[in-house]
Amino acid sequence: MNLDGQTCVVTGSSRGIGRGIAKDLAAHGGDVVVNYRSSEDEARAVVEEIEDDGGTAMAAQADISEQDDVESMVAAVHDTFGSVDVLVNNAGVTIDKKFENMTRDDWETVIDVNLGGVFNCTNAFYEDIEQSETGRLINISSVVGQQGNYGQANYATTKSGLFGFTRTLALELADTGSTANCIAPGFVATDMLEEVPERVQEKILREIPLNRFATVEDISGIVRFVASEESSYMTGQVLGVNGGMEW
C-alpha cells in the first residue's frame, strides 16, 4: 500500500485519530497536510515527527467551517505540494446534551463543522480529486451515526449524514475513476475517551464483541488501505471498524 507521490490532506490532524492517520499516510510515502484550527504547536509537532521519520509534511491552519479559511489552506497546499490526491475529512466537534436541553447554537455549531466543514473542504479540493489518477475522498464518520447515542442528537445527525454524502459523491466521481468511501470507527482509545467516566466505559465495552476499544492504528490502517491503489474497485461504501458492534 505505497502512497509515493500522493498528496494527502487530513483535516483535524493535530491530535487523536487524525494525528494517527497523518503519520500513517506519511510513513507509507504520502506528502501529508496536517490541518488544524487552533492547535498550532500540536500540529507542528506532528509535522516534526513525520519529518524525523523521513516523511514529508506541512501544517496548514484553517477553521474548516469558514470557507475563506479553507480557500487560504488550498492555496498554501497547492503552493507547497501541488494538487491533492487524497482528502480525509476527519475534523469534528461535539457538544453533548440531551435534546431537550440542546440549544439552536449547540445544534448549528456541530452541523457547521461536521457537515459544513466537509462540504467546504470537499468543494475546495473536488477538482483535484476528480482529475487525480488515484483520487480518494475518505470521510470519517462514527458508529454513533449508525446507532445513535444518548445526548448526541447533533453529532449523530452529522455522522449519519456523511453516509448519504459519500454515496452520492461516489456516484458522481465514478466516471473519473476516483472513489469516495466512509469509515465509521467505533470507540477509540484517545484522550477524548479518557474523559468518559469509567462506569460508562465499562458499559460500552460490554457492547463490543472483541472486548476492547480500538487503537488509533486500527483506524489509520483502514484509512491507508482506502487511500491506496488496492482499494480502487471499492467506492460508495461505509466501513464499520467497531469491534463487531451491531448497527
Side-chain angles (χ1 to χ4, degrees):
M1 290 185 275
N2 193 312
L3 301 175
D4 285 353
Q6 294 192 58
T7 295
C8 310
V9 175
V10 185
T11 67
S13 50
S14 64
R15 59 195 289 265
I17 295 173
R19 175 179 177 272
I21 293 170
K23 292 182 64 177
D24 197 325
L25 296 179
H28 289 82
D31 297 330
V32 175
V33 179
V34 178
N35 161 255
Y36 68 97
R37 180 177 66 87
S38 57
S39 304
E40 181 176 3
D41 290 345
E42 290 88 342
R44 296 201 180 280
V46 176
V47 171
E48 288 179 9
E49 289 175 28
I50 289 171
E51 292 177 340
D52 287 346
D53 288 337
T56 304
M58 65 174 284
Q61 191 281 330
D63 178 342
I64 63 166
S65 68
E66 298 292 338
Q67 188 170 0
D68 289 346
D69 274 20
V70 172
E71 290 175 358
S72 295
M73 176 173 67
V74 172
V77 171
H78 284 170
D79 285 346
T80 302
F81 290 142
S83 61
V84 167
D85 303 288
V86 178
L87 171 61
V88 182
N89 283 312
N90 167 75
V93 298
T94 59
I95 301 177
D96 297 347
K97 294 178 182 177
K98 288 178 63 178
F99 183 75
E100 62 183 331
N101 299 324
M102 190 173 290
T103 67
R104 185 59 183 256
D105 283 345
D106 297 333
W107 177 267
E108 290 184 353
T109 297
V110 175
I111 297 290
D112 285 349
V113 175
N114 296 8
L115 284 180
V118 168
F119 172 86
N120 288 340
C121 293
T122 305
N123 181 60
F125 290 112
Y126 187 84
E127 186 173 341
D128 287 2
I129 294 169
E130 184 180 42
Q131 294 179 358
S132 172
E133 293 183 1
T134 53
R136 301 285 187 269
L137 174 63
I138 304 172
N139 297 314
I140 306 300
S141 179
S142 170
V143 69
V144 170
Q146 297 167 318
Q147 294 184 336
N149 199 33
Y150 189 93
Q152 289 193 309
N154 47 8
Y155 183 76
T157 297
T158 61
K159 292 304 184 179
S160 64
L162 290 178
F163 304 152
F165 180 76
T166 300
R167 177 62 179 166
T168 300
L169 269 289
L171 296 174
E172 294 183 5
L173 285 167
D175 63 354
T176 73
S178 295
T179 67
N181 288 287
C182 190
I183 295 171
F187 293 87
V188 184
T190 63
D191 54 357
M192 186 178 297
L193 184 63
E194 289 176 3
E195 296 173 4
V196 174
E198 186 174 345
R199 60 179 177 77
V200 178
Q201 291 190 37
E202 291 172 354
K203 180 181 178 182
I204 294 169
L205 273 174
R206 289 195 292 271
E207 298 174 0
I208 303 174
L210 287 181
N211 196 36
R212 68 173 178 87
F213 296 120
T215 65
V216 170
E217 291 76 16
D218 289 326
I219 310 305
S220 66
I222 299 296
V223 174
R224 184 196 341 132
F225 165 71
V226 177
S228 74
E229 179 62 24
E230 281 81 354
S231 73
S232 63
Y233 196 59
M234 181 180 71
T235 194
Q237 303 304 305
V238 177
L239 306 181
V241 190
N242 57 35
M245 297 178 74
E246 293 187 53
W247 56 278

